[in-house]
Amino acid sequence: MTEFMPLIDDLLVTEEEANNLTYFAFAKPLNGKPLNGKPHKAEPALAPTKASVGVLPDVLAGRYRIERLLGAGGMGAVYRARDLLSEQFGDPDPYIALKILSEEFAESPDASALLYSEFALTRRLRHDNVLRPHTFEVDTDCQRAFITMELMRGLTLDKLLCERPLGLPWKELRDIALPLLDALAYAHARGVLHGDIKPSNVMLSEEGVRLFDFGLGQAGEGILPGLPHLSRNRFNAWTPGYAAPELLEGQTLSASADVYGVACVIYELAGGKHPFRRLPSTEARAGYLDRELHPPKNLPKHCWPALHKALAFDAADRTITAAQLRDAMGATSSWLQRLRLRA
Amino acid sequence: MLVASPWRSAARTDPGKVRARNEDAFLDCPQQGLWVVADGMGGHQGGDIASQLIVASLAELPVQDDFDERLKGIRQCLHWLNRRLGQELTVTAGRHDSIMGSTVVALLVEGNRAACIWAGDSRCYLWRDQRLYQLSKDHSLQQQLIDEQNMSVEDARAHPAAHALTRAVGAAEQLTLDVLELEVYPGDAFLLCSDGLYQGLSSDALGNALSLTAPHVALERLFDGALRGSARDNLTAVVIRQ
């Protein structure tokens, strides 16, 4: 557990950049007593389970009662929690999602700063298809930072793919691909890069498609100055099957790398198969797998040139933006003939 | 909302005497006729998260009338978790230990039908007519050496990597689950447990405990026995009976 700590200390590249790091002081514990309240909305009753995740308390910041683990990422875990304060005021749906750093990262101010950075990046985005963050907080007793956000109910795309191994028919695919690309195009327009686009970071919720987890995200030049920037020279993380070759080779995150990731997701949704047999893109490139890439079965012909371009291994050949990919996928074939993608 | 279950059960987990963390997790849900033990792996990172995610996800599966549909739901959920813990996992450069996985053994019972689903070396035992049966077969190197190279149990056990798993949720791109369906007889008792529990106890000790009528008493007997030994690993057990 201690092995990772030196790496965390190196999260920031240079000392100058380290000066930009916003450290926050941990306030003294307030009244640690949790508020009492009864749930108004019946979520599934909790079956007795027992497991240890460090010393995570039952109630965080005197307000959020942890109910169950929803997912886990590289540095933290996401739980469903009940906001006892909202509940006390009669909120019919006091449930939220809560992302907290894992125990091993909890003591690192750098890791907390990165979590804050994720919060700030996501808060910058106001789009129907981007998950809405609520607050960034610190539990003073256990000294752990966390983000609260809207609780999505639905299916993540990785689960959807497990249930639909042959992929989705075009109409269904389009209804996911278009809002997803719209969210990504919007984020890019706001100067926010995602950095880890993959099926499990997209939710098909009751309220539509939601892109989430900007934990490896980055703000563009001049956007949100003063926030610590995650440096991929020192801290490089990715999901092997969805990361563009240049990311795996340690280059800076770019909008084009996000386009590669989202194209892999759309390709997989269309036919149930990953474009490059799930291989990391660098290995797929070495094996010339792009030469045998076929359009997926459920994708209309007019969408293929754009998606194909988005899947280019060489960033220089990937000359298509998320917005252009969205326009190509959203175009009807009749006027698509007139649509030309910039070469 | 919940109908009275003819099943009584008791569950417990303990970090043991050596390990600081407990990476085991269990589900004890007699109302739904579902019990699970998961033993997380991944050493210093993620083992506890993996086993907890398995248990939390299985706990929220819808309770349907149709046994076959429920069994299908469990399998589908475990296949999804295999993807989630494997190919969907964000990995950090230079860290080759960023593996997240877990064994799983689940018991689903409805009426006189039961199914045991597992991957890895957590076990399901059945106590019937004063005899102990091991329903699950370990997915471990030791078992593989016995099955495929006709090695004796003693020799296989002496292999330096005898405990290495050959299957687990999150370990490989494709997960193959073993499923055993059986008819339940009156008087049957089941035990789900992690290797930390059965490694420290003889089959006689397991049988003697399961012959006790109250699940919590049986459980206490099992833990008393296992914790008298070295208890180097986390230990978890669920005792189930009508």
Side-chain angles (χ1 to χ4, degrees):
Chain A
M1 210 183 313
T2 49
E3 281 168 48
F4 208 176
M5 298 320 280
L7 216 160
I8 303 193
D9 293 337
D10 287 344
L11 281 179
L12 300 158
V13 199
T14 60
E15 285 184 13
E16 299 93 87
E17 278 189 38
N19 292 335
N20 286 333
L21 178 62
T22 313
Y23 287 92
F24 52 81
F26 288 105
K28 286 216 170 92
L30 296 164
N31 183 356
K33 279 185 190 166
L35 295 160
N36 287 315
K38 291 258 155 61
H40 293 271
K41 188 173 173 181
E43 282 285 315
L46 289 182
T49 62
K50 179 83 171 77
S52 134
V53 182
V55 283
L56 192 63
D58 293 342
V59 176
L60 282 169
R63 175 166 176 185
Y64 306 102
R65 180 173 292 282
I66 302 286
E67 293 205 332
R68 70 151 281 201
L69 182 66
L70 294 172
M75 289 179 23
V78 180
Y79 294 86
R80 182 179 74 203
R82 221 167 69 217
D83 179 352
L84 301 176
L85 186 64
S86 315
E87 190 177 83
Q88 206 174 43
F89 282 101
D91 194 315
D93 186 8
Y95 294 93
I96 56 143
L98 190 152
K99 181 173 188 173
I100 187 161
L101 292 171
S102 359
E103 198 189 355
E104 59 179 311
F105 291 95
E107 284 170 25
S108 159
D110 291 0
S112 301
L114 284 177
L115 191 71
Y116 184 80
S117 167
E118 174 182 352
F119 171 70
L121 287 179
T122 318
R123 193 177 49 178
R124 208 179 139 71
L125 306 175
R126 289 163 190 255
H127 190 280
D128 281 350
N129 304 113
V130 176
L131 169 117
R132 277 185 285 272
H134 294 161
T135 56
F136 177 86
E137 300 185 44
V138 176
D139 180 276
T140 43
D141 288 339
C142 73
Q143 301 244 318
R144 280 160 85 170
F146 60 92
I147 297 175
T148 66
M149 50 202 162
E150 67 165 318
L151 178 69
M152 300 177 290
R153 294 175 173 91
L155 276 183
T156 45
L157 295 188
D158 62 321
K159 203 166 192 176
L160 180 71
L161 279 163
C162 283
E163 291 180 7
R164 311 281 293 277
L166 299 176
L168 309 175
W170 167 236
K171 197 185 163 310
E172 237 178 297
L173 168 65
R174 191 187 51 195
D175 288 348
I176 297 172
L178 290 183
L180 171 59
L181 286 165
D182 205 53
L184 188 61
Y186 167 83
H188 287 173
R190 294 280 294 153
V192 174
L193 307 174
H194 187 282
D196 197 19
I197 302 263
K198 58 179 166 183
S200 52
N201 280 343
V202 182
M203 170 77 84
L204 192 54
S205 83
E206 289 167 0
E207 290 164 1
V209 172
R210 291 273 203 283
L211 173 63
F212 62 99
D213 195 350
F214 285 76
L216 292 176
Q218 222 162 299
E221 198 73 26
I223 310 275
L224 297 171
L227 270 192
H229 282 238
L230 183 141
S231 163
R232 286 191 176 257
N233 291 335
R234 295 296 184 92
F235 178 82
N236 211 349
W238 54 69
T239 306
Y242 301 91
E246 66 269 21
L247 272 187
L248 298 178
E249 286 163 347
Q251 288 179 41
T252 333
L253 176 62
S254 64
S256 170
D258 277 348
V259 168
Y260 176 87
V262 82
C264 287
V265 173
I266 292 169
Y267 187 99
E268 198 172 342
L269 283 173
K273 284 203 167 67
H274 184 275
F276 306 116
R277 299 187 213 146
R278 300 228 144 271
L279 289 172
S281 51
T282 42
E283 280 177 44
R285 185 181 57 192
Y288 301 105
L289 291 193
D290 50 342
R291 291 182 188 171
E292 36 189 273
L293 193 60
H294 298 294
K297 206 174 67 229
N298 298 338
L299 193 78
K301 270 192 188 136
H302 71 263
C303 300
W304 178 236
L307 189 64
H308 194 199
K309 188 171 282 194
L311 287 166
F313 290 139
D314 190 341
D317 296 334
R318 211 181 301 133
T319 51
I320 183 165
T321 63
Q324 286 168 332
L325 185 55
R326 174 201 58 202
D327 293 345
M329 304 271 304
T332 54
S333 45
S334 57
W335 74 267
L336 194 105
Q337 287 155 353
R338 299 195 297 272
L339 181 88
R340 289 208 176 82
L341 292 163
R342 282 184 200 159
Chain B
M1 181 181 96
L2 297 164
V3 288
S5 165
W7 293 90
R8 293 169 296 142
S9 55
R12 180 175 161 189
T13 186
D14 192 291
K17 295 177 185 171
V18 177
R19 301 211 176 170
R21 297 174 80 88
N22 192 348
E23 299 195 326
D24 286 0
F26 67 73
L27 174 68
D28 176 19
C29 209
Q31 303 90 341
Q32 297 181 18
L34 181 63
W35 299 268
V36 182
V37 165
D39 176 356
M41 59 183 202
H44 72 279
Q45 189 210 12
D48 49 358
I49 293 282
S51 58
Q52 203 188 4
L53 194 59
I54 287 177
V55 159
S57 305
L58 291 175
E60 292 214 340
L61 286 179
V63 179
Q64 307 168 47
D65 289 338
D66 189 297
F67 184 84
D68 295 306
E69 282 300 311
R70 289 192 69 192
L71 183 54
K72 190 175 146 200
I74 292 171
R75 298 174 64 155
Q76 210 164 45
C77 179
L78 291 171
H79 283 291
W80 161 63
L81 286 163
N82 185 60
R83 177 181 176 132
R84 178 56 69 91
L85 298 174
Q87 65 208 48
E88 294 287 336
L89 194 67
T90 303
V91 299
T92 306
R95 276 168 61 89
H96 303 291
D97 56 349
S98 35
I99 187 169
M100 216 189 243
S102 177
T103 71
V104 66
V105 60
L107 179 71
L108 176 69
V109 179
E110 198 176 276
N112 63 349
R113 285 185 76 183
C116 172
I117 307 105
W118 77 97
D121 66 355
S122 295
R123 287 183 183 169
C124 177
Y125 291 94
L126 166 67
W127 175 254
R128 175 179 288 177
D129 297 333
Q130 304 301 307
R131 285 188 65 182
L132 185 71
Y133 301 86
Q134 186 183 326
L135 298 184
S136 58
K137 193 171 192 181
D138 296 349
H139 300 129
S140 65
L141 184 65
Q142 179 179 323
Q143 190 63 47
Q144 194 173 315
L145 291 170
I146 295 167
D147 290 347
E148 290 173 12
Q149 297 182 23
N150 296 317
M151 206 180 262
S152 71
V153 176
E154 290 71 29
D155 288 351
R157 200 174 278 163
H159 192 283
H163 294 312
L165 296 180
T166 51
R167 276 190 219 173
V169 181
E173 192 178 321
Q174 283 301 324
L175 169 69
T176 310
L177 291 165
D178 268 332
V179 179
L180 181 84
E181 290 199 50
L182 68 151
E183 195 181 332
V184 176
Y185 291 0
D188 278 355
F190 294 91
L191 166 67
L192 303 182
C193 59
S194 62
D195 61 337
L197 186 103
Y198 69 72
Q199 298 290 1
L201 294 170
S202 65
S203 352
D204 282 348
L206 296 179
N208 288 339
L210 290 177
S211 67
L212 300 165
T213 45
H216 70 274
V217 179
L219 193 68
E220 202 172 29
R221 176 77 64 90
L222 291 169
F223 273 78
D224 284 351
L227 289 169
R228 262 200 300 274
S230 56
R232 302 183 64 81
D233 198 357
N234 307 146
L235 42 153
T236 302
V238 187
V239 177
I240 305 129
R241 67 182 313 149
Q242 277 177 309

